[in-house]
Amino acid sequence: MDPVSLVLGAAIALGGVLIGRAMPRRADRAAARRDRQQPSIPAAPRTPQPICGCGHHLVFHDKDSKMCQAQVVIPGRWTGQSGGTYRQCMCQGYRGPVPLDEYYAPDLLNGES
Ligand SMILES: [Zn+2]
Ligand SMILES: [Zn+2]
């Protein structure tokens, strides 16, 4: 065996070891980065929120006219302008499940049981 092929073989072996060591560590680092970028999912609200199909909360919708009072941003690339413009939401009203009104139930055991 000539020394060149010996050195070449050693280099290939060494390279394989280095790659084998680097691979899992790189994957770990990528996973760690992914974990940092994705914020933990916030806890679901206790009561379902009445979000309209337009994406706005029920409180933005007028009680009488049902029109959505929220402002939406129209991106400039939609209108050809440089900056975004604000328009009133075109939603005609909230149609969805209305959560039960919160009510206060007086304490039955009024301390005199
Ligand atoms: Zn709406
Ligand atoms: Zn809306």
Side-chain angles (χ1 to χ4, degrees):
M1 223 181 225
D2 59 310
V4 173
S5 67
L6 266 179
V7 168
L8 203 65
I12 289 169
L14 193 68
V17 168
L18 284 177
I19 288 168
R21 279 203 192 154
M23 284 303 269
R25 235 184 294 149
R26 212 184 306 157
D28 285 353
R29 233 179 292 145
R33 213 179 307 136
R34 226 178 302 130
D35 286 349
R36 229 177 302 138
Q37 279 175 352
Q38 285 184 343
S40 56
I41 298 155
R46 216 158 45 86
T47 51
Q49 293 297 305
I51 304 297
C52 181
C54 66
H56 297 121
H57 196 277
L58 175 59
V59 296
F60 289 111
H61 294 80
D62 196 279
K63 273 210 166 74
D64 302 319
S65 65
K66 303 285 182 201
M67 299 285 284
C68 185
Q69 307 293 317
Q71 299 281 304
V72 291
V73 185
I74 311 291
R77 58 191 151 83
W78 290 8
T79 55
Q81 294 167 358
S82 55
T85 49
Y86 286 89
R87 298 261 181 82
Q88 192 180 324
C89 182
M90 298 300 283
C91 180
Q92 299 282 311
Y94 171 76
R95 289 180 231 288
V98 179
L100 290 172
D101 286 335
E102 285 186 25
Y103 58 89
Y104 172 70
D107 204 349
L108 287 174
L109 305 172
N110 212 6
E112 30 182 281
S113 60

